Amino acid sequence: QQAYVDEVQRSIDAHPSQATLLKKYQQVPVFYWIDSMSRIANLTAVMDGALAQANNGSQQIVVQIIIYDVPDRDCSAAASNGEITCADAQCAAGIATYQTKYIDPIVSLISQSKYSKLTIVALIEPDS
């Protein structure tokens, strides 16, 4: 993911004495965490960056994303509460919001035919 590579490069620029070590991290695969609905918009840049890599080389590109905005995630533990809440025991409204405003837009984006040459790994709610 180019944004990660760029972030590591800024660290290298700020800490040139650590450049050898930090450059190793530019090659480490990372997951893009989608922990709020607002981060879905950034997923386009992630996917387009991966597609550009795939189009410029012969290796398979894997896009790794974390789906992380389940209603009342972390059981209201206050560590990383989500933005979608359950108003009642059935959580009907929360689940509807999760489906229509979070999951559906992600699926719509990653299933576009232009991304068909990419392998997409989605880790769903790793600690909710």
Side-chain angles (χ1 to χ4, degrees), residues 32 34 36-46 109:
Y32 179 69
I34 309 170
S36 66
M37 290 179 274
S38 66
R39 292 190 43 95
I40 297 169
N42 298 337
L43 183 56
T44 299
V46 170
L109 195 151

Side-chain angles (χ1 to χ4, degrees), residues 4-92:
Y4 175 75
V5 171
D6 294 344
E7 183 177 333
V8 173
Q9 185 59 51
R10 286 190 293 278
S11 293
I12 292 169
D13 295 344
H15 307 282
S17 66
Q18 300 296 317
T20 302
L21 175 64
L22 291 169
K23 284 182 187 236
K24 293 177 184 178
Y25 287 98
Q26 287 180 313
Q27 305 304 315
V28 175
V30 296
F31 279 81
Y32 179 69
W33 282 70
I34 309 170
D35 59 352
S36 66
M37 290 179 274
S38 66
R39 292 190 43 95
I40 297 169
N42 298 337
L43 183 56
T44 299
V46 170
M47 297 296 291
D48 287 346
L51 185 59
Q53 282 184 296
N55 289 335
N56 289 330
S58 60
Q59 67 181 6
Q60 179 67 34
I61 300 298
V62 178
V63 178
Q64 302 173 131
I65 60 175
I66 302 282
I67 306 297
Y68 193 68
D69 204 14
V70 69
D72 283 348
R73 94 169 160 230
D74 289 346
C75 302
S76 300
S80 59
N81 291 343
E83 64 190 336
I84 304 171
T85 59
C86 294
D88 59 36
Q90 287 75 40
C91 196

Side-chain angles (χ1 to χ4, degrees), residues 82-105:
E83 64 190 336
I84 304 171
T85 59
C86 294
D88 59 36
Q90 287 75 40
C91 196
I95 292 170
T97 298
Y98 181 71
Q99 180 68 48
T100 61
K101 295 187 178 177
Y102 181 74
I103 295 297
D104 289 348

